[in-house]
Amino acid sequence: MTRHSLGSSEDGDTSHVEVPSAQPRPQAAQPSTSSSPSPDSSSSSSHHHQRRSSADPRTSSSISRRSTSINWKSSEAGNVSLEKPPSPTRSTPPSPLGLIPTANGAHAKKREMEKAHEAMFSVRHQRWRSPWAIGLLALVASITGIALLLTVVHSSVTRQIDPKGCRMSYLRPSYAKLNEFDTEHTRLASKYSLYMYREQGIDHDTRVRGVPVLFIPGNAGSYKQVRPIASEAANYFHDVLQHDPETYSAGIRSLDFFTVDFNEDITAFHGQTLLDQAEYLNEAIRYILSLYLDPRVSDRNPDLPDPTSVIVLGHSMGGIVARTMLIMPNYQTNSINTIITMSAPHARPPVSFDSQIVKAYKDINDYWRHAYSQQWANNNPLWHVTLVSIAGGGLDTVVPSDYASVESLVPDTHGFTVFTSTIPTVWTSMDHQAILWCDQFRKVLVRTLFDLSDVHRASQTKPRAERMRVFKKRLLTGMETVAEKTAPRSDPTTLLTVEDNSDTIIAQGERLVLRQLGTTGRVRAHLMTIPPPGPPEVKRFTLMTDIKLDKPGENGKLEVMFCSVIPSQPGQTGAGFPSQIDLSKGTAGTTRLACRNAAPDVIPLPGSNKTTRFPFYRDQEKEVLPFYYLEYDLDDIAEQQFIAVVEKATNPTQGFVIAEFSEQSQSHQTAQIGLQRLLTMGLKFTMPAVRPMVTEIKVPSLQSSLLAYNLRLSTPSCGNKEELFTPMVRQYMVEPFESKYFVNVRDAPISLHGVAPYVPPPLTKRSASEDGLSFQFWTDPTCNSSIEVELEVDFRGSLGKLYMRYRTVFAAFPLLVVALVLRKQFRVYDTTGVFITFTESLDLCLRQSIPLMLASLTLLTVATANPNPAGSASFWHWNKSTSSLIDFHLNDYLIGTQDPMFLFLIPMIGIICVGVCTVFNYMTLALTHLLSSLFNLLAFRPAWVRNDDRKKQGGAGFLPSSPRRRMITTAVLLFLVSTAIPYQFAYLVACLVQLTTTVRAQRIAQELQSAANSSFYNYVHSILILMLWILPINMPTLVVWIHNLAVHWLTPFTSHHNVLSIMPFIVLVETLTTGKMVPPVTGRMKHVTSILLFGIAVYAAVYGISYAYTLHHLVNLVAFWLVILHSTADSWPISGLKHLYEGDAEDRKGGKEP
């Protein structure tokens, strides 16, 4: 009784497969799918059987072993050969291609083999199955999978696409190479170069005189990518800042931009390259700082302190290199205190094809997390470091913007993640490269850099807390809970004098609405009394206008101030105020107010009217003027008594102003709706006709990045009145800081970067008020018209979100299908002796093993799910807690999320991978047939050659190569791997050799259609498919190696030279070039093959995406096992291994090695 391996209770191994027999079977016993043998061939086969049974009794073809308890035994039903009597000295397994004549045999033996071939061909022809054939179940599953894949791809490029709003930047760049930074400073100077940026027409020399800034390009990036940012900095300082005396007193100077030429190194795929760049940059910073000490190249004021640190800008993988610098041994302490990254994948590596890149990420992230988990600042080496990650959003199709999150690395006191669509005046997503040249973004970034700098300090930057305030002020909307309001607590700037009996005081509870300014022909002040804070209702003040608010002393059209009454004292004057506004008209009864200007807290919003389409304007489009918005909780302005809205326009001016106090119960609502109900029924609500100007709706269940939505608003009716502005919507999340604006909105596509697959949980626990997605609605409250709002899931658009989050799944998950298919092929082969085709095995697997595997993986996800959500672990950095309380690898496995809502993704991905594997199988078949046809054209045979001679010539296609050549080739290849070339190069060579073997096997199987030839072809074809699925994992490292050769960097890798990582592949491939078929095994050892392939399938699904590089080593283990099986063709293992390279001429004559 045959024993099955662990987890092998699946569809029967003998389904649709006949056991080849030496005797012709009755016609009634033939399967309906097999072709019936002709009467002539049947009689010939019967005659041959009678002759063999009387004169040529054959011994069993089992594989013997001396002094062992393991029963290594080939199936008696497998590959029965009738061509040659058994050797008198040993029992050998028949060759799968034993029907092919060889050049070394005698003429008589050739004729005997030819007769045996003709007799056996008629029997085995019924077992030959076209590799192109596919079962109905496999066909349906493959079509379904490809249809799903095409739907996902189509959705990703057509639905839920963020509009592009970047304007082009212009510049006049030049670069000065710092040749003195040579090999005396670093061993990598012969590979990399350091440059200094100079703007033509502004910078006339290469002397350093400002604040040093280092730009680090990303994966395959150029040092010239610094030019848009550096050019804007040079022009802004030259045109604006140097003419402002306040900037000099504040310590602001020009920025000296340095950039590095990495020769477009491919950093994302190779960990050693990442470490090399970090090592080089630390030495570059040391050299840059030394320039400011050299009076020959420095043009700084000698009274200023010498710089001790450099501001670092990193794009893409350059941001990871910047963080890596701080953990390198040659890092100079405190030489980096400010890091700004753009589209950098901080959370996890973009791909996990290289073990070193995975290890480097782990070391970097563990170091940063451990540093910020320290209780005391003295124990934290990163206490002075701020890290801000800027993500491009949905338009970035190179790196998922979810990976740009730093919430799992740094606390909010030291950094945050912000999206470009959030940044004021930018308001647009941008792709991976546009984030460098986008004009509106580079302007904000440059102004942020100047605000950070302070040459009066040795660090050249402000203290950490002040730097964080600058980042929040410049990069956040100002409506976040972390935004600081400075105006109400600032010093008074204006003395406002009004009449005691003024009718401009707005009654409490009323709304101030101005549809036009300057209608009275004089300056007017509208005073709104600030209500006392506290119960019963929490209130806030909001104001919005399309007119720019004046700063103190400016003579514009509108100014907003927070005022308090000054007690009247005899002889008091307003000499202490920089600005005075007297509206008393010289009357005796007046009130004097000390006012603070609100302009520092103004929040720019996109303009929204009937002609606007987007929150931005593009090149060649009319500029869209923004709105200006103020928002305060009563606690922020409780120390003041009035809010003064001063109309300075004396002539009629187009513009509006709306200001009001609103109760939180009317302006804030929380939709307590579950995700399941939202998926089925959607969310509908009505904003009443009497409502505040700003209404906020929070939906806590909207957190996942995998779902997209559609938001619809009904058109408000204003009757005879003209609408002041059209509805505007802001969607936002608190962590990370992502906001999107929709102007003149009727329909809005909603997508977000919230809880994403494979992204580690944040360091801190999110409060209930921070969970979910929120919507802010700005509507004209004067219309007195209700608005219907509807939110529903966009299912087709949600499919497109799977592309960016799960595209790397195709590096691992299809291997689950290939491993199960190959496992089924071996199980059938060990039982019947016939190695079935890939598609036939796929059809069998789809009946039970693949569905069971996908169901088991789904149940595994449910069973291992953490009862606490990813972000619910308690973590407080300044107590005695450590980061070990959070499992940062919680989302590394399977589909990267434990949300049961997305368990359907496992079978969905499985079906897609079935379709992908089927297409890949047919592509491989087409390639082998094409190469075979080309070979036939090159080896043209005349049409008058006899058919028998054609078969003889066709067999010559598998003449084994010289044993000496194979041994030399293998030895040379392994020697090169151990010294100069990475093993990935040898693997590519092995794949090419295997492709050649498959082409030769295909030609023979097509010309000499037999079960033996077909089995061998199916075997080498499946091995080729398995190897080709591993090839993409090895290619990136190979590309890096070739790139290094191209730039004349000949230093070998410190890794990737382990010969054991490639030797089994080489030996197996060389063995298959001889035409040797792996012997079938029916003993206990056959379970080893099944267990190995089953283990690869499980590992590929569970860990393959996060640790794809290990798949090569697992398949390498399978290759090693197959080499052992091939060696069992002889009685002794040592002689069997020797036989792989030495061969036996007598055996080849008998068909062992065609």
Side-chain angles (χ1 to χ4, degrees):
M1 180 176 180
T2 304
R3 298 174 60 185
H4 294 280
S5 63
L6 180 64
S8 62
S9 65
E10 52 185 67
D11 39 283
D13 294 335
T14 58
S15 298
H16 305 104
V17 178
E18 275 193 347
V19 179
S21 174
Q23 299 182 8
R25 301 180 180 178
Q27 182 69 19
Q30 304 298 327
S32 59
T33 59
S34 303
S35 58
S36 302
S38 63
D40 294 340
S41 62
S42 178
S43 61
S44 174
S45 178
S46 177
H47 172 72
H48 180 76
H49 170 71
Q50 294 172 3
R51 180 179 63 184
R52 167 147 181 198
S53 62
S54 60
D56 189 22
R58 188 159 184 150
T59 60
S60 172
S61 60
S62 62
I63 305 173
S64 63
R65 282 288 178 272
R66 184 176 301 177
S67 301
T68 180
S69 60
I70 300 177
N71 182 20
W72 291 62
K73 186 165 58 177
S74 300
S75 172
E76 294 181 359
N79 289 352
V80 179
S81 178
L82 303 179
E83 291 78 26
K84 181 180 181 293
S87 170
T89 59
R90 65 183 180 183
S91 174
T92 58
S95 169
L97 298 178
L99 308 178
I100 304 173
T102 64
N104 297 329
H107 185 66
K109 289 189 175 183
K110 289 183 180 180
R111 289 200 306 268
E112 181 181 357
M113 292 175 63
E114 291 167 8
K115 292 179 181 179
H117 162 73
E118 292 175 356
M120 195 58 189
F121 180 82
S122 62
V123 178
R124 292 193 175 181
H125 183 269
Q126 60 187 335
R127 294 304 321 134
W128 182 86
R129 179 186 175 98
S130 171
W132 295 90
I134 185 172
L136 179 61
L137 181 59
L139 178 63
V140 172
S142 300
I143 293 177
T144 303
I146 296 301
L148 283 173
L149 179 60
L150 293 178
T151 302
V152 169
V153 174
H154 181 266
S155 174
S156 67
V157 298
T158 59
R159 300 183 67 88
Q160 293 284 337
I161 304 298
D162 293 338
K164 296 181 179 180
C166 279
R167 298 188 291 273
M168 185 58 67
S169 56
Y170 301 93
L171 40 105
R172 296 162 296 182
S174 65
Y175 309 88
K177 185 176 182 181
L178 304 181
N179 292 312
E180 293 185 1
F181 185 57
D182 52 19
T183 52
E184 293 184 0
H185 296 84
T186 173
R187 65 182 181 89
L188 295 163
S190 59
K191 183 180 181 182
Y192 303 141
S193 302
L194 182 63
Y195 287 83
M196 185 178 184
Y197 180 87
R198 300 282 87 180
E199 180 74 1
Q200 297 182 32
I202 294 179
D203 300 315
H204 303 289
D205 55 41
T206 59
R207 298 170 66 86
V208 294
R209 53 180 58 89
V211 178
V213 180
L214 177 63
F215 173 79
I216 308 176
N219 181 61
S222 169
Y223 68 97
K224 295 181 179 180
Q225 290 176 323
V226 71
R227 58 186 182 266
I229 300 173
S231 175
E232 174 64 22
N235 283 277
Y236 183 64
F237 183 82
H238 180 268
D239 298 337
V240 179
L241 295 182
Q242 72 172 354
H243 305 295
D244 185 359
E246 293 184 3
T247 61
Y248 268 71
S249 61
I252 296 177
R253 298 293 187 273
S254 62
L255 302 178
D256 296 327
F257 274 87
F258 298 87
T259 180
V260 184
D261 182 10
F262 285 136
N263 282 310
E264 300 183 0
D265 255 349
I266 305 175
T267 325
F269 300 150
H270 196 236
Q272 186 58 49
T273 301
L274 178 75
L275 298 177
D276 287 347
Q277 291 186 0
E279 176 188 340
Y280 177 84
L281 288 171
N282 277 328
E283 298 300 334
I285 287 181
R286 193 185 305 272
Y287 175 77
I288 290 171
L289 294 177
S290 70
L291 295 178
Y292 292 85
L293 305 178
D294 189 349
R296 297 173 301 172
V297 296
S298 176
D299 190 22
R300 284 170 58 95
N301 187 336
D303 295 334
L304 296 176
D306 296 326
T308 60
S309 68
V310 175
I311 299 175
V312 177
L313 297 181
H315 173 242
S316 187
M317 289 301 295
I320 309 305
V321 175
R323 290 177 49 225
T324 308
M325 295 166 63
L326 280 75
I327 73 169
M328 298 296 291
N330 66 334
Y331 170 65
Q332 182 175 337
T333 304
N334 296 333
S335 61
I336 299 175
N337 67 6
T338 303
I339 301 176
I340 302 175
T341 66
M342 296 164 284
S343 298
H346 292 286
R348 59 180 285 116
V351 292
S352 58
F353 295 164
D354 177 55
S355 60
Q356 278 193 310
I357 196 72
V358 175
K359 183 179 183 301
Y361 257 87
K362 183 179 184 302
D363 293 342
I364 298 165
N365 291 346
D366 287 349
Y367 178 85
W368 281 67
R369 288 166 182 154
H370 177 74
Y372 287 119
S373 68
Q374 299 303 310
Q375 180 179 3
W376 306 107
N378 292 336
N379 298 329
N380 181 3
L382 303 178
W383 178 259
H384 62 288
V385 178
T386 54
L387 172 64
V388 172
S389 174
I390 304 174
L395 290 179
D396 190 346
T397 57
V398 175
V399 174
S401 289
D402 305 288
Y403 293 180
S405 172
V406 296
E407 274 64 36
S408 66
L409 301 171
V410 298
D412 54 9
T413 56
H414 288 71
F416 55 83
T417 306
V418 62
F419 286 73
T420 55
S421 58
T422 305
I423 300 175
T425 71
V426 178
W427 297 322
T428 178
S429 298
M430 51 193 69
D431 62 51
H432 201 66
Q433 297 299 328
I435 199 171
L436 291 170
W437 56 260
C438 186
D439 185 58
Q440 58 263 49
F441 171 69
R442 69 168 183 158
K443 283 181 168 59
V444 174
L445 181 59
V446 164
R447 284 151 180 77
T448 303
L449 292 175
F450 279 116
D451 289 347
L452 294 172
S453 61
D454 184 0
V455 295
H456 297 144
R457 295 169 50 89
S459 63
Q460 303 297 292
T461 59
K462 291 180 171 64
R464 177 192 55 81
E466 292 187 30
R467 275 181 276 141
M468 289 302 300
R469 292 191 189 98
V470 170
F471 282 129
K472 294 174 182 178
K473 179 66 177 179
R474 287 288 185 179
L475 303 180
L476 301 184
T477 64
M479 292 176 280
E480 295 83 3
T481 55
V482 297
E484 298 181 5
K485 306 296 185 180
T486 61
R489 295 177 176 84
S490 61
D491 295 332
T493 58
T494 304
L495 176 63
L496 177 63
T497 305
V498 297
E499 297 178 354
D500 289 343
N501 58 351
S502 174
D503 59 353
T504 58
I505 298 179
I506 308 300
Q508 189 169 344
E510 292 187 3
R511 177 186 295 126
L512 171 65
V513 179
L514 302 178
R515 294 182 174 272
Q516 193 177 26
L517 275 66
T519 55
T520 62
R522 60 183 178 86
V523 178
R524 295 183 62 190
H526 306 272
L527 300 181
M528 301 182 68
T529 304
I530 298 177
E537 290 289 346
V538 179
K539 295 184 178 182
R540 67 172 178 173
F541 170 76
T542 56
L543 178 147
M544 190 167 72
T545 178
D546 59 349
I547 300 175
K548 184 178 179 180
L549 299 184
D550 282 356
K551 295 179 181 179
E554 292 184 345
N555 296 318
K557 300 176 181 178
L558 185 68
E559 186 173 358
V560 177
M561 297 178 290
F562 301 97
C563 303
S564 298
V565 176
I566 301 176
S568 179
Q569 296 180 5
Q572 186 178 17
T573 64
F577 295 91
S579 176
Q580 298 184 29
I581 301 177
D582 188 358
L583 305 179
S584 63
K585 302 178 185 179
T587 59
T590 61
T591 301
R592 296 155 53 90
L593 302 174
C595 299
R596 296 157 177 83
N597 188 276
D601 292 337
V602 70
I603 301 171
L605 294 177
S608 180
N609 52 58
K610 294 181 179 179
T611 61
T612 54
R613 297 173 53 213
F614 303 113
F616 48 81
Y617 65 94
R618 304 186 179 97
D619 291 322
Q620 312 303 323
E621 293 182 352
K622 182 180 178 181
E623 180 180 359
V624 178
L625 297 178
F627 290 169
Y628 300 94
Y629 179 67
L630 292 173
E631 178 181 281
Y632 294 94
D633 292 333
L634 281 188
D635 292 337
D636 296 328
I637 56 178
E639 298 178 359
Q640 310 302 319
Q641 295 173 297
F642 297 96
I643 296 176
V645 180
V646 182
E647 284 187 71
K648 293 184 176 181
T650 56
N651 298 317
T653 302
Q654 294 297 326
F656 72 88
V657 178
I658 300 179
E660 65 180 4
F661 287 95
S662 59
E663 296 179 353
Q664 187 170 359
S665 60
Q666 296 178 346
S667 60
H668 288 72
Q669 299 291 333
T670 299
Q672 300 294 348
I673 181 173
L675 188 57
Q676 294 84 351
R677 184 179 177 186
L678 186 64
L679 290 171
T680 56
M681 303 180 61
L683 173 64
K684 298 180 181 180
F685 59 92
T686 301
M687 290 190 291
V690 179
R691 62 180 181 274
M693 175 180 62
V694 184
T695 303
E696 185 168 333
I697 305 295
K698 175 180 284 293
V699 189
S701 59
L702 302 188
Q703 300 185 43
S704 175
S705 299
L706 299 178
L707 293 177
Y709 310 88
N710 286 322
L711 180 70
R712 297 185 179 89
L713 277 71
S714 64
T715 303
S717 175
C718 287
N720 298 328
K721 294 186 297 185
E722 183 179 358
E723 197 173 19
L724 295 177
F725 61 94
T726 55
M728 177 172 57
V729 177
R730 170 193 173 222
Q731 68 158 88
Y732 72 92
M733 295 194 70
V734 175
E735 193 176 276
F737 295 111
E738 180 185 27
S739 295
K740 291 183 180 180
Y741 294 92
F742 305 94
V743 297
N744 192 22
V745 63
R746 295 294 181 269
D747 298 277
I750 305 297
S751 60
L752 60 146
H753 295 85
V755 179
Y758 306 109
V759 176
L763 286 175
T764 55
K765 178 183 177 181
R766 296 176 179 172
S767 64
S769 61
E770 295 176 336
D771 283 337
L773 187 68
S774 298
F775 298 93
Q776 276 184 301
F777 299 88
W778 284 269
T779 57
D780 186 354
T782 65
C783 287
N784 293 324
S785 173
S786 62
I787 298 179
E788 302 292 332
V789 181
E790 180 180 359
L791 180 69
E792 61 181 16
V793 178
D794 182 0
F795 291 99
R796 293 176 59 189
S798 299
L799 287 177
K801 300 305 172 184
L802 300 178
Y803 169 74
M804 283 300 297
R805 276 77 179 189
Y806 288 105
R807 57 182 178 177
T808 56
V809 78
F810 295 107
F813 220 91
L815 199 60
L816 175 146
V817 178
V818 174
L820 291 180
V821 168
L822 190 58
R823 175 175 177 265
K824 172 59 65 178
Q825 288 177 301
F826 272 104
R827 289 172 63 84
V828 172
Y829 175 62
D830 290 338
T831 305
T832 67
V834 176
F835 207 92
I836 58 177
T837 65
F838 186 90
T839 51
E840 186 177 1
S841 177
L842 178 62
D843 190 80
L844 293 176
C845 291
L846 285 171
R847 298 178 187 276
Q848 196 169 6
S849 60
I850 290 180
L852 284 178
M853 175 66 77
L854 297 179
S856 300
L857 292 174
T858 305
L859 294 177
L860 177 65
T861 303
V862 176
T864 59
N866 190 351
N868 294 321
S872 64
S874 177
F875 187 88
W876 185 251
H877 311 284
W878 317 125
N879 292 332
K880 295 183 179 180
S881 302
T882 64
S883 58
S884 60
L885 295 177
I886 299 179
D887 183 8
F888 292 104
H889 301 284
L890 183 69
N891 298 326
D892 284 353
Y893 316 117
L894 283 170
I895 57 174
T897 178
Q898 297 184 340
D899 192 337
M901 179 61 62
F902 301 104
L903 291 179
F904 73 92
L905 289 176
I906 295 179
M908 177 181 174
I909 293 175
I911 292 299
I912 291 178
C913 290
V914 167
V916 170
C917 289
T918 301
V919 172
F920 187 76
N921 172 62
Y922 282 116
M923 291 174 61
T924 307
L925 286 174
L927 177 62
T928 54
H929 280 69
L930 176 61
L931 295 177
S932 177
S933 301
L934 292 177
F935 182 86
N936 290 335
L937 291 177
L938 297 176
F940 173 73
R941 295 190 297 266
W944 55 82
V945 177
R946 292 191 313 164
N947 186 55
D948 294 344
D949 294 335
R950 287 175 184 265
K951 296 176 181 177
K952 296 178 183 179
Q953 296 178 14
F958 243 109
L959 286 176
S961 59
S962 167
R964 179 176 301 176
R965 185 200 66 79
R966 298 200 305 274
M967 292 182 66
I968 293 176
T969 301
T970 302
V972 170
L973 204 56
L974 293 179
F975 174 76
L976 291 176
V977 167
S978 63
T979 56
I981 66 175
Y983 69 77
Q984 287 84 356
F985 179 83
Y987 185 82
L988 175 62
V989 174
C991 289
L992 295 176
V993 174
Q994 182 65 17
L995 176 61
T996 304
T997 302
T998 306
V999 171
R1000 295 162 69 191
Q1002 188 274 332
R1003 291 181 57 245
I1004 296 172
Q1006 187 175 20
E1007 295 184 4
L1008 305 177
Q1009 296 182 357
S1010 68
N1013 293 342
S1014 177
S1015 291
F1016 183 76
Y1017 168 62
N1018 294 334
Y1019 171 54
V1020 296
H1021 174 79
S1022 295
I1023 295 297
L1024 175 63
I1025 290 180
L1026 181 64
M1027 294 179 65
L1028 290 180
W1029 272 119
I1030 302 299
L1031 185 60
I1033 298 176
N1034 292 286
M1035 284 304 295
T1037 302
L1038 181 59
V1039 171
V1040 173
W1041 179 70
I1042 295 174
H1043 175 269
N1044 285 348
L1045 293 181
V1047 298
H1048 307 291
W1049 182 254
L1050 304 180
T1051 303
F1053 290 160
T1054 57
S1055 59
H1056 308 296
H1057 293 289
N1058 186 358
V1059 295
L1060 296 181
S1061 298
I1062 192 60
M1063 182 184 293
F1065 284 113
I1066 296 177
V1067 176
L1068 176 62
V1069 167
E1070 287 289 348
T1071 302
L1072 295 180
T1073 61
T1074 67
K1076 291 176 66 71
M1077 181 64 180
V1078 62
V1081 180
T1082 58
R1084 295 180 179 178
M1085 298 307 295
K1086 78 169 186 177
H1087 300 313
V1088 175
T1089 308
S1090 181
I1091 292 174
L1092 285 176
L1093 293 172
F1094 183 81
I1096 288 178
V1098 174
Y1099 188 92
V1102 178
Y1103 300 99
I1105 298 177
S1106 297
Y1107 307 96
Y1109 65 92
T1110 57
L1111 297 176
H1112 170 92
H1113 303 292
L1114 292 177
V1115 176
N1116 185 53
L1117 185 61
V1118 172
F1120 175 73
W1121 173 246
L1122 293 180
V1123 170
I1124 294 177
L1125 290 184
H1126 276 280
S1127 71
T1128 60
D1130 296 282
S1131 299
W1132 295 91
I1134 297 179
S1135 62
L1137 291 173
K1138 181 180 179 182
H1139 180 72
L1140 296 180
Y1141 287 97
E1142 294 183 357
D1144 189 332
E1146 191 66 28
D1147 289 337
R1148 289 198 299 271
K1149 294 177 183 178
K1152 282 194 62 179
E1153 295 179 359

